[in-house]
Amino acid sequence: MDQETSSKWLLQPIEEWSGNKQPVTSVLLGILVCSGAIMILLHGIGLGSWSSAAVLICPLVGLVAVGHFRNTIWDSVFLLFVLWLGISTVVNGPGPLKEEILFILTLAAYPAARLSGTTGRPFFAVLGLVGFLGLVCIVVALRDQWSDLHGKPLVFGTFDAAPAQISVCFALLLAGLVASHLNRLWLVIGYICAGVVFAILAASLLRFSFVALLCTLACEAAISRRTRTKALVAILVVSTSWAAGYYTRVATAERLAVAISASPPAEVGSPAQVGPPAQVGAPGELGPRGDVGPRGEVSPQAEVVPQAEAGPAPCGDLKQYNSVLTRKKLISDVASAIPRAGIFGHGLSSFTQMTCLGMETHLSLAQVVIEFGWVAGVLLGFIALGALAMTARLERAEARFAFMGFLFVAMLSFAHGDLARDGLLFLFLGYLVRISEPQP
């Protein structure tokens, strides 16, 4: 690489990325964005829950402490939203203590990014470093578990959420590449690296993360003239990598598809059979679980339950046996719960008691409506759509990145959202509002 090319990259207009002038806040925001992946890495090297708490709390406190506030209409609506959450909590009573604490940290991501959220070279350096370390762990897990029916590699033998968490880092890096003013050489290098990375992630049998990324890039191509060509090239790179990575494990993917879409062998309420049918797996062996979304928590590998000891299970076998029917049942329960939410909802984590699946809605906006009422859902939707519309017409690099970043995490929350753990959604909402402010 010649010196002139390197100099052009280093001398990009510094005002395009506010984090270039504020490296500390840019790094803190990068740590928050990658917190899920960092937690998995910390747990993998033997550090426990205290380190995970520090990864969330320290950047939040740091960003809020050094931030500068200038009220906008979106901030006023967010304050009304938080006030309504408080009223709903008083009416319905508090939820489980752990969920309440996690939800407070989730809400705190909005002011943290709103007050001092900045992106630039330090931010993307954090994403790149964390993503690279996570990718190495995924490659090691893939090498040892290539033909396992579980499909997604269990990083450190435990965490099947790791590929989804790591994909967030690389998806946002690609969004930054599309939004930037890099010259052609650097763009080509970036696309080549992205092709390799996303092929590895595709071999991990990720599904919705690719769908969300492709939809985000398609929206960017449709809205922004400046980034249209780069977004279209990125779509081609991601699509090709997805197909190539999937093809390398097509046999495992086909066996997995059979296991997650077959009909359950027992009626609802009858004794549950734990494990796939004989042609897919041996008796007493757990079938593959459905997608685990990119959240802050990590989920350990389930234990094998001998078939002879299996007793009655909620919703028959749906949760343990068939992720497709589980998702259909979840959507049905969410659709029936929304009209009954009322003004104040039913309280945090109440939806888990309304469905025999015993899980959250997997759609954060629906969870807001069900657990905190229609008013809360309208306020949150108003902030998101309003700030998104304001940012959509801006062409500077950081605005294009904010637009794509929010779209990506919002789409993820439509399939894997859990309100108490959806800090990324509120973080990018706050960042979007910050970027949509008129420039002084």
Side-chain angles (χ1 to χ4, degrees), residues 115 140 151 154 198 292 440:
L115 296 177
V140 172
L154 295 167
F198 286 109
V292 178

Side-chain angles (χ1 to χ4, degrees), residues 63-70 110-117 430 434:
L63 288 171
V64 171
V66 301
H68 301 283
F69 180 68
R70 189 171 65 180
Y110 175 92
R114 170 68 184 88
L115 296 177
S116 53
R434 178 180 175 85

Side-chain angles (χ1 to χ4, degrees), residues 389-418:
M390 291 287 291
T391 310
R393 57 188 176 84
L394 303 177
E395 288 294 339
R396 68 183 190 273
E398 197 162 12
R400 300 317 318 149
F401 173 74
F403 179 83
M404 287 185 280
F406 178 77
L407 269 185
F408 177 68
V409 300
M411 289 181 191
L412 290 179
S413 77
F414 269 80
H416 304 300
D418 182 348

Side-chain angles (χ1 to χ4, degrees), residues 259-327:
I260 68 175
S261 60
S263 299
E267 297 294 331
V268 173
S270 63
Q273 178 185 357
V274 180
Q279 67 270 25
V280 177
E285 179 180 312
L286 273 182
R289 290 167 285 178
D291 271 346
V292 178
R295 306 173 186 169
E297 87 282 4
V298 289
S299 51
Q301 183 180 9
E303 297 180 359
V304 174
V305 180
Q307 189 172 7
E309 298 178 8
C315 293
D317 270 3
L318 290 184
K319 186 176 178 182
Q320 298 162 314
Y321 186 85
N322 187 316
S323 68
V324 175
L325 293 182
T326 297
R327 181 68 66 168

Side-chain angles (χ1 to χ4, degrees), residues 104-149:
I104 290 172
L105 292 176
T106 293
L107 292 175
Y110 175 92
R114 170 68 184 88
L115 296 177
S116 53
T118 56
T119 52
R121 287 192 286 271
F123 172 84
F124 293 114
V126 173
L127 266 61
L129 176 60
V130 174
F132 174 75
L133 293 175
L135 195 68
V136 171
C137 296
I138 291 174
V139 169
V140 172
L142 276 174
R143 180 197 63 189
D144 298 332
Q145 305 166 33
W146 189 258
S147 300
D148 285 6
L149 180 59

Side-chain angles (χ1 to χ4, degrees), residues 20-111:
N20 293 340
K21 298 178 288 186
Q22 304 174 50
V24 174
T25 55
S26 188
V27 167
L28 291 176
L29 190 70
I31 292 173
L32 268 183
V33 168
C34 296
S35 59
I38 294 173
M39 289 179 190
I40 289 175
L41 295 174
L42 291 174
H43 278 269
I45 61 176
L47 298 178
S49 56
W50 284 108
S51 62
S52 299
V55 167
L56 286 175
I57 295 173
C58 292
L60 285 173
V61 172
L63 288 171
V64 171
V66 301
H68 301 283
F69 180 68
R70 189 171 65 180
N71 187 52
T72 67
I73 182 175
W74 315 120
D75 299 316
S76 299
V77 176
F78 183 78
L79 289 175
L80 286 175
F81 171 71
V82 173
L83 177 62
W84 196 266
L85 297 183
I87 295 172
S88 174
T89 301
V90 171
V91 171
N92 296 297
L97 179 60
K98 178 182 177 181
E99 299 301 301
E100 290 285 355
I101 293 173
L102 289 174
F103 188 40
I104 290 172
L105 292 176
T106 293
L107 292 175
Y110 175 92

